[in-house]
mmCIF file of all heavy atoms in Angstrom:
data_model
loop_
_atom_site.group_PDB
_atom_site.id
_atom_site.type_symbol
_atom_site.label_atom_id
_atom_site.label_comp_id
_atom_site.label_asym_id
_atom_site.label_seq_id
_atom_site.Cartn_x
_atom_site.Cartn_y
_atom_site.Cartn_z
ATOM 1 N N LEU A 1 -53.728 159.952 -22.675
ATOM 2 C CA LEU A 1 -54.067 159.257 -21.401
ATOM 3 C C LEU A 1 -52.989 158.174 -21.224
ATOM 4 O O LEU A 1 -52.629 157.921 -20.054
ATOM 5 C CB LEU A 1 -55.415 158.554 -21.596
ATOM 6 C CG LEU A 1 -56.015 157.725 -20.508
ATOM 7 C CD1 LEU A 1 -56.116 158.676 -19.182
ATOM 8 C CD2 LEU A 1 -57.342 157.121 -20.791
ATOM 9 N N ARG A 2 -52.406 157.498 -22.273
ATOM 10 C CA ARG A 2 -51.320 156.547 -22.167
ATOM 11 C C ARG A 2 -50.132 157.293 -21.564
ATOM 12 O O ARG A 2 -49.410 156.735 -20.684
ATOM 13 C CB ARG A 2 -51.147 155.955 -23.383
ATOM 14 C CG ARG A 2 -52.071 154.915 -23.833
ATOM 15 C CD ARG A 2 -51.819 154.392 -25.305
ATOM 16 N NE ARG A 2 -52.873 153.301 -25.629
ATOM 17 C CZ ARG A 2 -52.947 152.802 -26.849
ATOM 18 N NH1 ARG A 2 -52.162 153.263 -27.822
ATOM 19 N NH2 ARG A 2 -53.827 151.865 -27.084
ATOM 20 N N ASP A 3 -49.915 158.518 -22.077
ATOM 21 C CA ASP A 3 -48.692 159.221 -21.576
ATOM 22 C C ASP A 3 -48.807 159.527 -20.009
ATOM 23 O O ASP A 3 -47.884 159.485 -19.277
ATOM 24 C CB ASP A 3 -48.599 160.592 -22.360
ATOM 25 C CG ASP A 3 -48.086 160.378 -23.753
ATOM 26 O OD1 ASP A 3 -47.616 159.070 -23.981
ATOM 27 O OD2 ASP A 3 -48.362 161.087 -24.558
ATOM 28 N N VAL A 4 -50.078 159.919 -19.657
ATOM 29 C CA VAL A 4 -50.181 160.124 -18.161
ATOM 30 C C VAL A 4 -50.061 158.862 -17.429
ATOM 31 O O VAL A 4 -49.435 158.944 -16.368
ATOM 32 C CB VAL A 4 -51.650 160.702 -17.956
ATOM 33 C CG1 VAL A 4 -51.957 160.827 -16.450
ATOM 34 C CG2 VAL A 4 -51.787 162.047 -18.607
ATOM 35 N N VAL A 5 -50.503 157.749 -17.883
ATOM 36 C CA VAL A 5 -50.312 156.417 -17.151
ATOM 37 C C VAL A 5 -48.826 156.173 -17.015
ATOM 38 O O VAL A 5 -48.359 155.676 -16.067
ATOM 39 C CB VAL A 5 -51.112 155.396 -17.844
ATOM 40 C CG1 VAL A 5 -50.779 153.979 -17.240
ATOM 41 C CG2 VAL A 5 -52.616 155.639 -17.741
ATOM 42 N N ARG A 6 -48.179 156.355 -18.176
ATOM 43 C CA ARG A 6 -46.701 156.109 -18.188
ATOM 44 C C ARG A 6 -45.909 156.940 -17.196
ATOM 45 O O ARG A 6 -44.903 156.649 -16.694
ATOM 46 C CB ARG A 6 -46.106 156.313 -19.629
ATOM 47 C CG ARG A 6 -46.545 155.135 -20.625
ATOM 48 C CD ARG A 6 -45.634 155.216 -21.773
ATOM 49 N NE ARG A 6 -46.045 154.352 -22.885
ATOM 50 C CZ ARG A 6 -46.981 154.548 -23.818
ATOM 51 N NH1 ARG A 6 -47.444 155.696 -23.998
ATOM 52 N NH2 ARG A 6 -47.216 153.628 -24.706
ATOM 53 N N SER A 7 -46.421 158.256 -17.045
ATOM 54 C CA SER A 7 -45.744 159.073 -16.056
ATOM 55 C C SER A 7 -45.983 158.756 -14.665
ATOM 56 O O SER A 7 -45.176 159.087 -13.718
ATOM 57 C CB SER A 7 -46.302 160.568 -16.397
ATOM 58 O OG SER A 7 -47.661 160.646 -15.835
ATOM 59 N N ILE A 8 -46.940 157.852 -14.344
ATOM 60 C CA ILE A 8 -47.180 157.408 -13.045
ATOM 61 C C ILE A 8 -46.270 156.164 -12.819
ATOM 62 O O ILE A 8 -45.663 156.089 -11.802
ATOM 63 C CB ILE A 8 -48.715 157.048 -12.887
ATOM 64 C CG1 ILE A 8 -49.671 158.252 -13.012
ATOM 65 C CG2 ILE A 8 -48.918 156.360 -11.448
ATOM 66 C CD1 ILE A 8 -51.084 157.930 -13.065
ATOM 67 N N TYR A 9 -46.316 155.227 -13.633
ATOM 68 C CA TYR A 9 -45.418 154.004 -13.550
ATOM 69 C C TYR A 9 -45.156 153.547 -15.010
ATOM 70 O O TYR A 9 -46.087 153.011 -15.543
ATOM 71 C CB TYR A 9 -46.049 152.917 -12.730
ATOM 72 C CG TYR A 9 -45.003 151.792 -12.474
ATOM 73 C CD1 TYR A 9 -44.009 151.954 -11.540
ATOM 74 C CD2 TYR A 9 -45.111 150.687 -13.334
ATOM 75 C CE1 TYR A 9 -43.089 150.893 -11.346
ATOM 76 C CE2 TYR A 9 -44.153 149.624 -13.063
ATOM 77 C CZ TYR A 9 -43.191 149.850 -12.094
ATOM 78 O OH TYR A 9 -42.336 148.776 -11.885
ATOM 79 N N PRO A 10 -44.006 153.749 -15.596
ATOM 80 C CA PRO A 10 -43.755 153.455 -17.020
ATOM 81 C C PRO A 10 -43.900 151.983 -17.148
ATOM 82 O O PRO A 10 -43.203 151.211 -16.451
ATOM 83 C CB PRO A 10 -42.305 153.934 -17.208
ATOM 84 C CG PRO A 10 -42.115 154.883 -16.223
ATOM 85 C CD PRO A 10 -42.867 154.620 -14.931
ATOM 86 N N PRO A 11 -44.563 151.395 -18.124
ATOM 87 C CA PRO A 11 -44.824 150.065 -18.292
ATOM 88 C C PRO A 11 -43.394 149.334 -18.692
ATOM 89 O O PRO A 11 -43.278 148.165 -18.354
ATOM 90 C CB PRO A 11 -45.640 149.849 -19.609
ATOM 91 C CG PRO A 11 -46.408 151.227 -19.624
ATOM 92 C CD PRO A 11 -45.418 152.131 -19.061
ATOM 93 N N ILE A 12 -42.444 150.091 -19.162
ATOM 94 C CA ILE A 12 -41.112 149.477 -19.394
ATOM 95 C C ILE A 12 -40.420 149.013 -18.248
ATOM 96 O O ILE A 12 -39.681 148.038 -18.285
ATOM 97 C CB ILE A 12 -40.254 150.632 -20.244
ATOM 98 C CG1 ILE A 12 -39.039 149.833 -20.814
ATOM 99 C CG2 ILE A 12 -39.834 151.686 -19.284
ATOM 100 C CD1 ILE A 12 -38.216 150.750 -21.799
ATOM 101 N N LEU A 13 -40.728 149.593 -17.071
ATOM 102 C CA LEU A 13 -40.134 149.175 -15.830
ATOM 103 C C LEU A 13 -40.625 147.729 -15.569
ATOM 104 O O LEU A 13 -39.844 146.845 -15.114
ATOM 105 C CB LEU A 13 -40.472 150.063 -14.667
ATOM 106 C CG LEU A 13 -39.714 151.411 -14.642
ATOM 107 C CD1 LEU A 13 -40.218 152.249 -13.557
ATOM 108 C CD2 LEU A 13 -38.205 151.131 -14.560
ATOM 109 N N SER A 14 -42.014 147.371 -15.825
ATOM 110 C CA SER A 14 -42.417 146.089 -15.573
ATOM 111 C C SER A 14 -41.833 145.139 -16.548
ATOM 112 O O SER A 14 -41.638 143.956 -16.148
ATOM 113 C CB SER A 14 -43.956 146.134 -15.707
ATOM 114 O OG SER A 14 -44.571 147.014 -14.615
ATOM 115 N N ASP A 15 -41.613 145.548 -17.756
ATOM 116 C CA ASP A 15 -41.268 144.663 -18.831
ATOM 117 C C ASP A 15 -39.783 144.438 -18.800
ATOM 118 O O ASP A 15 -39.311 143.233 -18.941
ATOM 119 C CB ASP A 15 -41.613 145.249 -20.267
ATOM 120 C CG ASP A 15 -42.991 145.424 -20.414
ATOM 121 O OD1 ASP A 15 -43.878 144.734 -19.705
ATOM 122 O OD2 ASP A 15 -43.396 146.309 -21.202
ATOM 123 N N ARG A 16 -38.945 145.384 -18.624
ATOM 124 C CA ARG A 16 -37.441 145.229 -18.716
ATOM 125 C C ARG A 16 -36.688 145.479 -17.440
ATOM 126 O O ARG A 16 -35.458 145.353 -17.453
ATOM 127 C CB ARG A 16 -36.943 146.179 -19.844
ATOM 128 C CG ARG A 16 -37.630 145.791 -21.149
ATOM 129 C CD ARG A 16 -37.131 146.851 -22.238
ATOM 130 N NE ARG A 16 -35.805 146.934 -22.355
ATOM 131 C CZ ARG A 16 -35.090 147.901 -23.295
ATOM 132 N NH1 ARG A 16 -35.924 148.654 -24.131
ATOM 133 N NH2 ARG A 16 -33.814 147.877 -23.374
ATOM 134 N N GLY A 17 -37.362 145.998 -16.381
ATOM 135 C CA GLY A 17 -36.608 146.249 -15.166
ATOM 136 C C GLY A 17 -35.943 147.626 -15.321
ATOM 137 O O GLY A 17 -35.949 148.244 -16.303
ATOM 138 N N LEU A 18 -35.348 148.009 -14.142
ATOM 139 C CA LEU A 18 -34.715 149.307 -14.118
ATOM 140 C C LEU A 18 -33.565 149.522 -15.078
ATOM 141 O O LEU A 18 -33.417 150.537 -15.714
ATOM 142 C CB LEU A 18 -34.295 149.696 -12.614
ATOM 143 C CG LEU A 18 -33.762 151.005 -12.356
ATOM 144 C CD1 LEU A 18 -34.661 152.197 -12.867
ATOM 145 C CD2 LEU A 18 -33.259 151.197 -10.990
ATOM 146 N N ASP A 19 -32.590 148.491 -15.122
ATOM 147 C CA ASP A 19 -31.535 148.654 -15.897
ATOM 148 C C ASP A 19 -31.850 148.709 -17.462
ATOM 149 O O ASP A 19 -31.382 149.589 -18.096
ATOM 150 C CB ASP A 19 -30.471 147.512 -15.704
ATOM 151 C CG ASP A 19 -31.212 146.224 -15.584
ATOM 152 O OD1 ASP A 19 -32.447 146.154 -15.843
ATOM 153 O OD2 ASP A 19 -30.443 145.265 -15.397
ATOM 154 N N GLY A 20 -32.910 147.906 -17.785
ATOM 155 C CA GLY A 20 -33.412 147.997 -19.221
ATOM 156 C C GLY A 20 -34.061 149.297 -19.528
ATOM 157 O O GLY A 20 -33.852 149.891 -20.533
ATOM 158 N N ALA A 21 -34.850 149.813 -18.562
ATOM 159 C CA ALA A 21 -35.578 151.129 -18.667
ATOM 160 C C ALA A 21 -34.567 152.298 -18.788
ATOM 161 O O ALA A 21 -34.675 153.123 -19.660
ATOM 162 C CB ALA A 21 -36.456 151.360 -17.623
ATOM 163 N N VAL A 22 -33.477 152.252 -18.051
ATOM 164 C CA VAL A 22 -32.461 153.321 -18.087
ATOM 165 C C VAL A 22 -31.673 153.186 -19.418
ATOM 166 O O VAL A 22 -31.296 154.202 -20.057
ATOM 167 C CB VAL A 22 -31.400 153.146 -16.898
ATOM 168 C CG1 VAL A 22 -30.300 154.157 -17.140
ATOM 169 C CG2 VAL A 22 -32.200 153.470 -15.608
ATOM 170 N N THR A 23 -31.451 152.046 -19.974
ATOM 171 C CA THR A 23 -30.835 151.831 -21.290
ATOM 172 C C THR A 23 -31.692 152.457 -22.357
ATOM 173 O O THR A 23 -31.197 153.172 -23.300
ATOM 174 C CB THR A 23 -30.481 150.362 -21.540
ATOM 175 O OG1 THR A 23 -29.808 149.798 -20.480
ATOM 176 C CG2 THR A 23 -29.792 150.108 -22.895
ATOM 177 N N ALA A 24 -33.072 152.307 -22.327
ATOM 178 C CA ALA A 24 -33.914 152.874 -23.229
ATOM 179 C C ALA A 24 -33.909 154.353 -23.020
ATOM 180 O O ALA A 24 -33.909 155.079 -24.123
ATOM 181 C CB ALA A 24 -35.345 152.281 -23.095
ATOM 182 N N LEU A 25 -33.943 154.887 -21.879
ATOM 183 C CA LEU A 25 -33.849 156.291 -21.719
ATOM 184 C C LEU A 25 -32.495 156.947 -22.314
ATOM 185 O O LEU A 25 -32.602 157.972 -23.004
ATOM 186 C CB LEU A 25 -33.693 156.716 -20.211
ATOM 187 C CG LEU A 25 -35.161 156.840 -19.478
ATOM 188 C CD1 LEU A 25 -34.852 157.214 -18.069
ATOM 189 C CD2 LEU A 25 -35.905 157.976 -20.076
ATOM 190 N N ALA A 26 -31.399 156.240 -22.024
ATOM 191 C CA ALA A 26 -30.198 156.788 -22.624
ATOM 192 C C ALA A 26 -30.131 156.702 -24.170
ATOM 193 O O ALA A 26 -29.560 157.605 -24.865
ATOM 194 C CB ALA A 26 -28.953 155.991 -22.183
ATOM 195 N N ALA A 27 -30.888 155.700 -24.777
ATOM 196 C CA ALA A 27 -30.927 155.606 -26.232
ATOM 197 C C ALA A 27 -31.697 156.706 -26.785
ATOM 198 O O ALA A 27 -31.380 157.173 -27.969
ATOM 199 C CB ALA A 27 -31.473 154.302 -26.589
ATOM 200 N N ARG A 28 -32.763 157.262 -26.119
ATOM 201 C CA ARG A 28 -33.449 158.430 -26.571
ATOM 202 C C ARG A 28 -32.916 159.750 -26.321
ATOM 203 O O ARG A 28 -33.490 160.700 -26.784
ATOM 204 C CB ARG A 28 -34.957 158.237 -26.036
ATOM 205 C CG ARG A 28 -35.706 157.033 -26.479
ATOM 206 C CD ARG A 28 -37.159 157.201 -26.148
ATOM 207 N NE ARG A 28 -37.474 157.483 -24.785
ATOM 208 C CZ ARG A 28 -37.609 156.522 -23.829
ATOM 209 N NH1 ARG A 28 -37.734 155.280 -24.204
ATOM 210 N NH2 ARG A 28 -37.989 156.826 -22.556
ATOM 211 N N CYS A 29 -31.938 159.741 -25.498
ATOM 212 C CA CYS A 29 -31.447 161.142 -25.099
ATOM 213 C C CYS A 29 -30.616 161.696 -26.197
ATOM 214 O O CYS A 29 -29.770 161.088 -26.945
ATOM 215 C CB CYS A 29 -30.384 160.845 -23.875
ATOM 216 S SG CYS A 29 -29.636 162.352 -23.249
ATOM 217 N N PRO A 30 -30.751 163.064 -26.504
ATOM 218 C CA PRO A 30 -30.071 163.731 -27.649
ATOM 219 C C PRO A 30 -28.527 163.715 -27.531
ATOM 220 O O PRO A 30 -27.921 163.793 -28.486
ATOM 221 C CB PRO A 30 -30.676 165.090 -27.677
ATOM 222 C CG PRO A 30 -32.030 164.954 -26.964
ATOM 223 C CD PRO A 30 -31.825 163.905 -25.900
ATOM 224 N N ILE A 31 -28.210 163.820 -26.209
ATOM 225 C CA ILE A 31 -26.735 163.817 -26.000
ATOM 226 C C ILE A 31 -26.225 162.349 -25.913
ATOM 227 O O ILE A 31 -26.868 161.472 -25.234
ATOM 228 C CB ILE A 31 -26.489 164.538 -24.581
ATOM 229 C CG1 ILE A 31 -27.050 165.955 -24.704
ATOM 230 C CG2 ILE A 31 -24.987 164.585 -24.273
ATOM 231 C CD1 ILE A 31 -26.957 166.569 -23.320
ATOM 232 N N PRO A 32 -25.051 162.100 -26.573
ATOM 233 C CA PRO A 32 -24.514 160.760 -26.481
ATOM 234 C C PRO A 32 -24.275 160.311 -24.943
ATOM 235 O O PRO A 32 -23.647 161.111 -24.088
ATOM 236 C CB PRO A 32 -23.145 160.863 -27.108
ATOM 237 C CG PRO A 32 -23.332 161.990 -28.143
ATOM 238 C CD PRO A 32 -24.235 162.979 -27.341
ATOM 239 N N CYS A 33 -24.774 159.126 -24.636
ATOM 240 C CA CYS A 33 -24.724 158.607 -23.176
ATOM 241 C C CYS A 33 -23.712 157.494 -23.104
ATOM 242 O O CYS A 33 -23.781 156.534 -23.942
ATOM 243 C CB CYS A 33 -26.167 158.200 -22.630
ATOM 244 S SG CYS A 33 -27.189 159.590 -22.432
ATOM 245 N N VAL A 34 -22.915 157.535 -22.085
ATOM 246 C CA VAL A 34 -22.002 156.319 -21.700
ATOM 247 C C VAL A 34 -22.672 155.714 -20.559
ATOM 248 O O VAL A 34 -22.825 156.388 -19.561
ATOM 249 C CB VAL A 34 -20.650 156.812 -21.371
ATOM 250 C CG1 VAL A 34 -19.857 155.668 -20.989
ATOM 251 C CG2 VAL A 34 -20.011 157.538 -22.611
ATOM 252 N N LEU A 35 -22.987 154.413 -20.667
ATOM 253 C CA LEU A 35 -23.624 153.748 -19.543
ATOM 254 C C LEU A 35 -22.667 152.857 -18.700
ATOM 255 O O LEU A 35 -21.796 152.123 -19.266
ATOM 256 C CB LEU A 35 -24.760 152.811 -20.115
ATOM 257 C CG LEU A 35 -25.922 153.556 -20.852
ATOM 258 C CD1 LEU A 35 -26.901 152.495 -21.297
ATOM 259 C CD2 LEU A 35 -26.562 154.514 -19.797
ATOM 260 N N ALA A 36 -22.820 152.971 -17.347
ATOM 261 C CA ALA A 36 -22.019 152.095 -16.538
ATOM 262 C C ALA A 36 -23.062 151.437 -15.526
ATOM 263 O O ALA A 36 -23.187 151.865 -14.452
ATOM 264 C CB ALA A 36 -20.913 152.895 -15.803
ATOM 265 N N ILE A 37 -23.685 150.453 -16.016
ATOM 266 C CA ILE A 37 -24.790 149.785 -15.273
ATOM 267 C C ILE A 37 -24.416 148.434 -14.848
ATOM 268 O O ILE A 37 -24.117 147.623 -15.793
ATOM 269 C CB ILE A 37 -26.105 149.801 -16.111
ATOM 270 C CG1 ILE A 37 -26.469 151.207 -16.499
ATOM 271 C CG2 ILE A 37 -27.273 149.173 -15.281
ATOM 272 C CD1 ILE A 37 -27.674 151.362 -17.297
ATOM 273 N N SER A 38 -24.481 148.175 -13.601
ATOM 274 C CA SER A 38 -24.256 146.728 -13.238
ATOM 275 C C SER A 38 -25.607 146.125 -12.977
ATOM 276 O O SER A 38 -26.588 146.791 -12.672
ATOM 277 C CB SER A 38 -23.406 146.710 -11.894
ATOM 278 O OG SER A 38 -24.075 147.470 -10.849
ATOM 279 N N PRO A 39 -25.656 144.841 -13.205
ATOM 280 C CA PRO A 39 -26.942 144.100 -12.950
ATOM 281 C C PRO A 39 -27.357 144.348 -11.492
ATOM 282 O O PRO A 39 -26.687 143.957 -10.614
ATOM 283 C CB PRO A 39 -26.600 142.628 -13.203
ATOM 284 C CG PRO A 39 -25.366 142.640 -14.097
ATOM 285 C CD PRO A 39 -24.577 143.852 -13.570
ATOM 286 N N ILE A 40 -28.599 144.837 -11.358
ATOM 287 C CA ILE A 40 -29.099 145.122 -10.068
ATOM 288 C C ILE A 40 -30.364 144.363 -9.653
ATOM 289 O O ILE A 40 -30.868 144.434 -8.550
ATOM 290 C CB ILE A 40 -29.397 146.692 -9.869
ATOM 291 C CG1 ILE A 40 -30.522 147.124 -10.865
ATOM 292 C CG2 ILE A 40 -28.141 147.445 -10.068
ATOM 293 C CD1 ILE A 40 -31.062 148.526 -10.720
ATOM 294 N N GLY A 41 -30.918 143.593 -10.679
ATOM 295 C CA GLY A 41 -32.089 142.804 -10.268
ATOM 296 C C GLY A 41 -33.281 143.588 -10.139
ATOM 297 O O GLY A 41 -33.222 144.852 -10.312
#
């Protein structure tokens, strides 16, 4: 049920914003990720 809720709106977006959530996504990706993220508010 928590997974379904996260698929609607991930709580990490509320906690860390889009740039922080994308950083977490890249950290979990099996392929090494290079991030070029500018602060977007």
Side-chain angles (χ1 to χ4, degrees):
L1 185 59
R2 286 174 176 170
D3 290 340
V4 172
V5 172
R6 288 192 184 97
S7 70
I8 299 173
Y9 187 80
I12 193 172
L13 287 174
S14 300
D15 299 337
R16 299 173 57 180
L18 180 57
D19 44 0
V22 171
T23 303
L25 272 178
R28 295 196 302 268
C29 182
I31 304 175
C33 290
V34 178
L35 297 179
I37 301 177
S38 60
I40 62 174

